[in-house]
Amino acid sequence: MTRLTRFTRTTAFKLSLLYIAVFTVMSGFLLLYISRSTDNLMSEQVVQSVDTEMKGLADIYVRGGIRELVETIDRRSRHPDASLYLLTDFAGNALVGNIARLPTVVLEEADGDLRRVRYTRFGQDTEDAERQAMVRTFELRGGFRLLVGRDLGDQLRFSNLLGNALRLWLAAVIAMAAITWIFVSRRVLKRIDEISATSRRIMHGDLSERLSIAGNDDEFDRLAVNLNAMLDRIVILMQSMKDVTDNIAHDLKTPLTRLQTRIETALRVEKGEAGYKAALQATLDETDQLLRIFNALLRIARVESMAPATEMEPASLNELIAEISDLYGPLVEDEGGHLEVDLPEKLEAECNKDLIIQVLVNLIENALKYGRPETGDIHIRLSGWREGERVMLAVTDNGQGILEKDQDRVTDRFVRLEESRSEPGTGLGLSLVKAVARLHGGELRFMNEAPGLSARIDLTPVGKDSSRSDDGDGGTTGGEERSDGS
């Protein structure tokens, strides 16, 4: 009983009942309309046939008198499919015709009106042979009365046939609707139960669960795809939060311990004013470094928590990169290098300009720190181009690149390769670049140029859908990367 009650409360059950009712009413109306229209048409044909017969017999009576009328009626009434005829004298005695039994009131009211009557033909005297007909009765000169009619057997049989068809059709509609209802309801309930079961497992902590997709692209598949994408996004945000927490717990423990040790040492040892001032200055520097790390972590977390297409707008990459070139060109020259810009005309993309500027700045500073060649001056190229349905931006240097074994980990937080540890930095710059690339529906990729390293991100051109399928982990796909010191 509980299962039945649950079943009848479903939307599928209610919609099925509605569809059954609407389809039944419409089918019944259609068949009833056909039946009525056909009955009216056949009735009109009967009336026209009776009127034509009556007019012809009246003309025969006028031309040839009663004898010729009797002979004509006798001849016509002998045909198997003949109309109905009955001619009586002034006393009501039958002179000729093919009607054996008829209500007497029909002949008494010889007013020419059309009547539906029951009758019995000659040769069919049983009550079971009583049939229906449409007749007219006229009184002729001399007291004669003439009845002409048409049997309604064919019309009644057709009406019965339509009635049976209507009943059969309604029964078939109800049966088919019930079968469809059961099938649809079971299928819908099954998909809903699967979604509910998966949701319960997810609520119990198994975030790897995903809604099943049947592959027929129905509304449940579309719902499952969107919910799975939402779950992927939630997992990314939760993982990001976990990473930040783990990073703070592990990677910031050492600088905080060092800061505590420095303060305790300064309090324990009498150093005088100069010594305390140097200790405070070192402590302040360490504090500034910690604040930079916290700010970088918070900025990465904010970027990763943003939804795709958030604050995206059409931007001219030519203007954006020109501003960066004007700012960093002199800085690269001061370092004894050269900054080159290589862009096609009117290169535009849907992006967050502030974040893209931060990405390019991080990559340029990374190239300045780690992209110097063993001999010669550093050369940095800032380039962009269209590749398929994406816009590519790249920062390329002429340094040593990185080893393939380090490619999968260099964009993780606080990761710094051994050759980079002598340079100042936090190891968070590339993590921010990767987060921004993923926010724009792209990814961060590195390619060794031999010599040099090319750091690339891809964006959506203006006028294209800003979302792109993602594998959910935001990882790079090939290419070589290196540690960041920004």
Side-chain angles (χ1 to χ4, degrees):
M1 182 61 68
T2 303
R3 183 176 178 83
L4 180 62
T5 302
R6 176 171 170 267
F7 192 65
T8 56
R9 288 179 178 176
T10 61
T11 302
F13 175 80
K14 296 175 183 178
L15 289 177
S16 297
L17 285 184
L18 177 62
Y19 294 155
I20 290 173
V22 171
F23 198 62
T24 301
V25 170
M26 293 299 295
S27 300
F29 173 78
L30 179 61
L31 287 176
L32 185 62
Y33 174 77
I34 293 174
S35 177
R36 291 291 179 85
S37 300
T38 305
D39 188 67
N40 291 336
L41 178 61
M42 296 182 71
S43 296
E44 291 177 1
Q45 291 177 345
V46 169
V47 172
Q48 292 177 1
S49 177
V50 171
D51 290 345
T52 301
E53 289 272 4
M54 184 65 72
K55 184 175 181 302
L57 292 175
D59 292 341
I60 292 173
Y61 178 70
V62 171
R63 291 196 309 268
I66 191 65
R67 180 179 297 277
E68 186 173 350
L69 179 60
V70 170
E71 292 176 353
T72 301
I73 292 175
D74 182 64
R75 184 172 60 254
R76 292 184 179 181
S77 62
R78 295 179 185 276
H79 295 165
D81 58 343
S83 297
L84 301 178
Y85 304 99
L86 183 62
L87 181 62
T88 62
D89 59 13
F90 64 92
N93 298 316
L95 299 178
V96 68
N98 54 5
I99 298 178
R101 183 181 297 114
L102 187 74
T104 57
V105 67
V106 177
L107 294 174
E108 291 174 357
E109 298 178 356
D111 52 7
D113 289 341
L114 193 66
R115 289 184 175 85
R116 183 187 290 262
V117 299
R118 291 186 173 275
Y119 78 100
T120 304
R121 279 179 180 265
F122 276 116
Q124 299 176 346
D125 294 335
T126 63
E127 290 293 332
D128 293 339
E130 192 173 72
R131 306 173 70 173
Q132 292 189 43
M134 195 74 72
V135 301
R136 288 186 188 276
T137 306
F138 287 92
E139 185 171 356
L140 304 177
R141 287 178 302 172
F144 296 101
R145 293 184 178 182
L146 174 63
L147 180 147
V148 178
R150 192 72 182 176
D151 186 82
L152 298 179
D154 293 340
Q155 183 176 350
L156 293 176
R157 282 193 296 273
F158 187 76
S159 297
N160 291 334
L161 179 64
L162 285 179
N164 293 333
L166 174 60
R167 288 187 288 272
L168 181 61
W169 174 253
L170 292 180
V173 166
I174 294 175
M176 292 176 63
I179 294 173
T180 304
W181 162 56
I182 294 174
F183 172 76
V184 172
S185 298
R186 287 177 63 87
R187 181 177 181 274
V188 171
L189 282 179
K190 182 179 178 182
R191 295 295 299 272
I192 291 176
D193 288 341
E194 290 177 356
I195 293 175
S196 299
T198 304
S199 301
R200 284 193 296 271
R201 291 193 294 271
I202 293 172
M203 287 187 294
H204 289 158
D206 188 1
L207 296 181
S208 64
E209 283 286 341
R210 292 295 181 269
L211 302 179
S212 61
I213 299 175
N216 50 18
D217 198 30
D218 60 3
E219 62 276 10
F220 286 103
D221 273 4
R222 294 193 293 272
L223 176 63
V225 168
N226 290 331
L227 289 178
N228 288 342
M230 180 185 70
L231 291 171
D232 291 339
R233 184 66 180 167
I234 291 174
V235 168
I236 291 174
L237 295 178
M238 293 185 66
Q239 185 62 41
S240 175
M241 183 182 298
K242 180 179 180 300
D243 290 343
V244 171
T245 304
D246 292 344
N247 294 151
I248 292 175
H250 296 90
D251 295 274
L252 297 184
K253 182 178 180 180
T254 299
L256 287 174
T257 302
R258 189 166 58 246
L259 182 63
Q260 182 184 24
T261 301
R262 182 177 290 111
I263 294 174
E264 290 176 348
T265 302
L267 291 176
R268 233 181 8 253
V269 179
E270 187 69 31
K271 294 186 176 182
E273 182 178 353
Y276 287 128
K277 185 175 181 180
L280 287 176
Q281 184 61 47
T283 302
L284 181 61
D285 294 340
E286 193 75 40
T287 304
D288 289 339
Q289 177 70 1
L290 288 174
L291 288 176
R292 284 196 296 271
I293 293 175
F294 275 113
N295 289 334
L297 288 173
L298 291 176
R299 185 167 179 79
I300 293 172
R302 283 195 297 268
V303 170
E304 290 181 339
S305 65
M306 293 170 68
T310 301
E311 300 180 5
M312 303 295 177
E313 59 182 1
S316 172
L317 298 181
N318 301 80
E319 297 178 1
L320 185 147
I321 292 176
E323 294 178 5
I324 297 176
S325 176
D326 292 341
L327 177 63
Y328 274 86
L331 179 61
V332 175
E333 291 179 0
D334 290 343
E335 296 289 332
H338 174 66
L339 178 63
E340 175 189 353
V341 175
D342 180 16
L343 291 174
E345 294 183 359
K346 296 182 179 179
L347 187 64
E348 298 179 336
E350 295 276 353
C351 63
N352 184 303
K353 292 193 293 185
D354 293 336
L355 292 179
I356 296 301
I357 289 175
Q358 182 67 59
V359 162
L360 296 177
V361 166
N362 278 16
L363 294 177
I364 292 174
E365 290 183 350
N366 222 42
L368 281 172
K369 291 178 182 178
Y370 312 113
R372 293 182 177 276
E374 292 183 353
T375 58
D377 297 331
I378 184 172
H379 180 82
I380 300 175
R381 184 173 73 255
L382 188 55
S383 58
W385 66 93
R386 295 179 180 87
E387 186 173 293
E389 294 187 354
R390 305 292 290 175
V391 170
M392 308 296 295
L393 289 179
V395 176
T396 306
D397 58 48
N398 58 340
Q400 299 300 311
I402 63 170
L403 300 176
E404 291 187 4
K405 66 178 183 179
D406 297 321
Q407 291 179 7
D408 295 332
R409 67 186 186 93
V410 289
T411 56
D412 293 338
R413 293 181 177 91
F414 298 109
V415 172
R416 304 185 70 197
L417 301 182
E418 291 299 327
E419 56 269 25
S420 307
R421 294 189 179 276
S422 60
E423 297 289 342
T426 62
L428 295 173
L430 288 183
S431 298
L432 176 62
V433 174
K434 183 175 74 172
V436 172
R438 185 167 55 194
L439 176 66
H440 286 76
E443 56 189 356
L444 170 63
R445 289 174 289 180
F446 286 76
M447 297 185 65
N448 277 328
E449 298 290 345
L453 187 74
S454 176
R456 303 177 180 182
I457 64 169
D458 54 310
L459 307 173
T460 303
V462 173
K464 295 290 184 180
D465 185 4
S466 61
S467 63
R468 193 180 77 164
S469 60
D470 195 281
D471 58 7
D473 61 2
T476 58
T477 56
E480 298 186 357
E481 306 167 3
R482 60 181 161 182
S483 168
D484 167 48
S486 58

